[in-house]
Amino acid sequence: MVFVPDRGPRMRTDLPDAIPSHSASLLAMRGVCKRYGGVEALRGVDLAVAPGEVHALVGENGAGKSTLMKVLSGVERPDAGTMEFAGRAWKPAGPVQARRAGVAMIHQELALAPHLSIAENIALGVEPRKFRGLGPLAPLDRRLMHSTASRVLARLGHGGLDPARRTGDLPAATRQLIEIGRALASQATVMIMDEPTSSLGRHDADRLLEVVKKLRDEGLSIVYISHFLEEIRRIADRFTVLRDGRTVATAAIASSTDQSLIELMTGRSVGAVFPARDRQPGEVVLGIDQLVGCPTPSRASLEVRSGEIVGIAGLVGAGRTEFLRCLAGLDPTAAGAITIHGRQVDLKASIRARMRRGLGFLSEDRKGEGLALSMSIAENLLLSNFKAVSKRGLLSSQRMQTAANEWIDRLAIRSGDPARAAQTLSGGNQQKIAIARLLHQDSTVLLLDEPTRGIDIGSKVQVYELLNGLARSGRGVVVSSGHLPELLGLCDRIAVMHRGVLGPARAVAECTEASLMSEAVLGSDAEEAA
């Protein structure tokens, strides 16, 4: 029988700086272990979450965060260890049972049915029914479904949203709130949020963080998983760091620095998060003049020099991705001019033709477009230039092995056997493979769309160092990112995309988060003059 805790209203109390004892915790996990075959995913993890706090769970990809939350939410059974919820043993038989008892998991990939209404999604799995004695044959109580949905939407600041609206027609930020609403409707007392802002723009992410603060102040306990340290600092009371399946630290967030957190996560000393900008820009390697796409961008001009990193900022939907895809030849171009190393590119030229000119493109969709995950590491590394590892027109396994090992060493890819499937690697190492493929095809101009999305902070530092090294070697690098601190720390110049129009690229010394956000929302002065 599952214990259902008291869900009456609770006031948030001030949380002490000291780590709470397990006896004072709403949720406690001790010595939790989980093994998959010969792999130890969890090796005696401890976690204590106090009532009414946001507890950040951080660590590199593969540290065990997702596995631990699967155990907590009933998706997986632990092999060893104990768990307590509200002072009693906690052994959920499955996620539905866990949610009904008050522990709700909100996954990074939202588990919503797009063809159903908001009210139906909020009630999904725990639908209220009339004539309960009939069991699952009883008709749904749609009036109660709608009233419950209206109540939780109002609690989340979206009281004007019609519960009958189709979920698939809603923007990503609103769908994220519906997931939270489903947890509230089940009267969750512990909410697990896995990378909730990873697919949101800055404005929507800020609004979501305010919702998290509000829920915390109402008494909910929230386990918050994120690779964005600035988010954690804004909302978390305490943090726990996992590394290699073990708990290595738990403390008040105010007692740590970004560097100390990174060092706890990686297990090694690191310097600054962003490398020093000591690059020397050279000649123009990529020129874009009045580029018009179908339908975006509507106007874009830019020059990129060898030895520099140029950032493209902008809100979600502003046209950043479409701009890079037009340059790469993946999306159609209606007008304008593109030059690579001073030679004009036919606007109808294929992506392969542009690759031969030195242009390399990294998609923001690593799983769908960036890699062939079921293929080996070696095949992914060499995929776009098999000719370099062929002998008399036939692939040479020896040359493939040699070339793959060379790139693995040069980019410090933690992979083991190059014959392993790419899907077995962490997100950071997968991203390095995707970048290495561009280098293997001899790209001198790199177009990188969200190159650090979904990877941990330790891997981000490594990618930043890699991009800095590529620029210093004479390559021109363009980075599109919705994360402004990343662009400000990494780039030499930044241009902002607003409603399909690319503003002028300004030296990073002239930019601030506030100025970039203002231009992203309102557009640039140059745009207004045009």
Side-chain angles (χ1 to χ4, degrees), residues 63 112 148 179-180 210 257 273 408 456 461 467 479:
L112 296 173
T148 300
E179 277 273 25
I180 297 173
E210 291 304 314
T257 64
V273 173
I408 287 170
D456 59 74
V461 171
L467 298 185
V479 174

Side-chain angles (χ1 to χ4, degrees), residues 145-329:
M145 283 172 55
H146 278 249
S147 64
T148 300
S150 296
R151 174 173 52 81
V152 298
L153 289 171
R155 188 176 172 187
L156 294 172
H158 279 63
L161 202 58
D162 183 2
R165 280 191 64 179
R166 183 178 177 273
T167 303
D169 297 333
L170 301 172
T174 307
R175 294 198 299 271
Q176 185 72 264
L177 288 175
I178 292 172
E179 277 273 25
I180 297 173
R182 186 161 66 185
L184 294 178
S186 64
Q187 296 183 298
T189 52
V190 175
M191 195 178 296
I192 305 162
M193 306 183 77
D194 188 4
E195 294 284 353
T197 65
S198 61
S199 59
L200 302 183
R202 172 69 178 271
H203 178 68
D204 289 330
D206 286 343
R207 291 181 65 182
L208 181 62
L209 294 179
E210 291 304 314
V211 169
V212 172
K213 288 181 183 178
K214 180 176 183 290
L215 296 176
R216 176 196 63 185
D217 292 342
E218 291 177 359
L220 267 73
S221 296
I222 298 171
V223 180
Y224 193 90
I225 302 173
S226 178
H227 293 314
F228 296 114
L229 296 186
E230 66 275 13
E231 285 186 4
I232 290 171
R233 293 206 170 280
R234 281 180 61 180
I235 62 171
D237 301 292
R238 297 185 184 83
F239 68 89
T240 291
V241 177
L242 297 188
R243 187 173 71 237
D244 297 328
R246 294 186 174 92
T247 301
V248 296
T250 299
I253 193 69
S255 68
S256 69
T257 64
D258 286 353
Q259 184 167 339
S260 67
L261 276 173
I262 295 169
E263 290 178 356
L264 284 170
M265 286 187 275
T266 61
R268 60 184 182 275
S269 178
V270 297
V273 173
F274 297 102
R277 276 189 291 264
D278 56 356
R279 303 178 288 263
Q280 296 298 322
E283 63 183 11
V284 175
V285 293
L286 175 65
I288 303 114
D289 184 32
Q290 298 294 311
L291 189 72
V292 179
C294 302
T296 53
S298 53
R299 187 172 71 252
S301 297
L302 181 69
E303 285 188 345
V304 180
R305 298 180 179 275
S306 65
E308 74 169 345
I309 301 177
V310 178
I312 307 296
L315 302 176
V316 173
R320 291 182 289 117
T321 292
E322 291 81 357
F323 170 55
L324 295 191
R325 292 178 70 88
C326 280
L327 294 178

